[in-house]
Amino acid sequence: MFENEFKDKVVLVTGGSRGIGFATVKGFLAAGAKVYFLSHYEETGAKALAALKEINPDYEVMTKAIDLCDFKAVQALYKEIEAKWGRLDVLVNNAGTDSSTWLTKLKQSEWDSVCDLNMKGPYTMIKYAIPYLVKTKGCVVNIASVAGVYGSPTGLPYPASKAGLIAMTKSIAYSFANKGVRVNAVAPGVVATDLVANLPQFAKDSIGDTIPFKRFAQPEEIANGIMFLSSSAASYITGVCLQIDGGYRPNNQPA
């Protein structure tokens, strides 16, 4: 679909070792990009890297585990990418975490950990990427969620942080459009990842009833949206949040 679209382009993907992130890394590599992906753990990053090299040993791909909220580590990462490949064209902020705790039982530490990774992480990554993206007229794609659009009955930090990420996307897009930098988001619905696979069948059936397509998205379908927003086909698109959700609408039922 994107054959050679990203030839000689450099892409950075956070949370790239599994799920949507891994599908995105694979997609960009197949389309000719050089990819640096980040993971929470070195072991999972190494496993993902080995799987990619099995697909094509000639892929130009690197991985590292860093704290996305550590601005010094982030600055060092961008310097490393520039030294290695001379440029940065696309930043995909995919790393995130969620919560299912009811509000009255929510601990402050849980709120902090979710909001740090889901909002402070992208903020830090974008802030220090901007000088590099201005040089290449590059772009950012943030991975939000339909929970940030519609809300959810439990796990308040997750929908709150994803709604904040959508607002951050629109604001930064407005700020840097005059520099040629595009900033967009995708809001996935329910995706067939390891987390969803481990749900009991009745839960899968209940969630499936909210999706007109009557199936969960595949990670590759979300990756296609990310790559579209990063491509030349989206050259006049900035500040949008693209919902990729099979028409999902939440049930108006109590939890």
Side-chain angles (χ1 to χ4, degrees), residues 126-139:
I126 296 170
K127 177 178 180 177
Y128 295 105
I130 286 294
Y132 300 91
L133 295 174
V134 167
K135 291 179 184 178
T136 59
K137 303 262 191 264
C139 68

Side-chain angles (χ1 to χ4, degrees), residues 131-155:
Y132 300 91
L133 295 174
V134 167
K135 291 179 184 178
T136 59
K137 303 262 191 264
C139 68
V140 178
V141 181
N142 294 318
I143 313 308
S145 168
V146 292
V149 178
Y150 300 115
S152 60
T154 60

Side-chain angles (χ1 to χ4, degrees), residues 16-18 42 62 64 72-73 85 95 107 116 122 128 137 144 150 152 155 167 177 185 201 205 226 228 246:
S17 64
R18 59 180 185 170
E42 290 184 3
M62 298 174 66
K64 178 176 283 189
K72 291 184 179 178
W85 287 322
K107 295 180 180 179
D116 274 359
Y128 295 105
K137 303 262 191 264
Y150 300 115
S152 60
Q201 190 59 47
D205 293 341
I226 294 167
F228 162 69

Side-chain angles (χ1 to χ4, degrees), residues 21-37:
F22 186 67
T24 301
V25 171
K26 284 197 300 181
F28 275 115
L29 286 169
K34 303 170 185 177
V35 180
Y36 205 133
F37 70 93

Side-chain angles (χ1 to χ4, degrees), residues 20 92-95 141-145 162 165 185-188 222 226:
I20 294 171
V92 179
N93 283 309
N94 173 69
V141 181
N142 294 318
I143 313 308
S145 168
K162 291 300 186 178
L165 184 58
V186 300
I222 311 302
I226 294 167

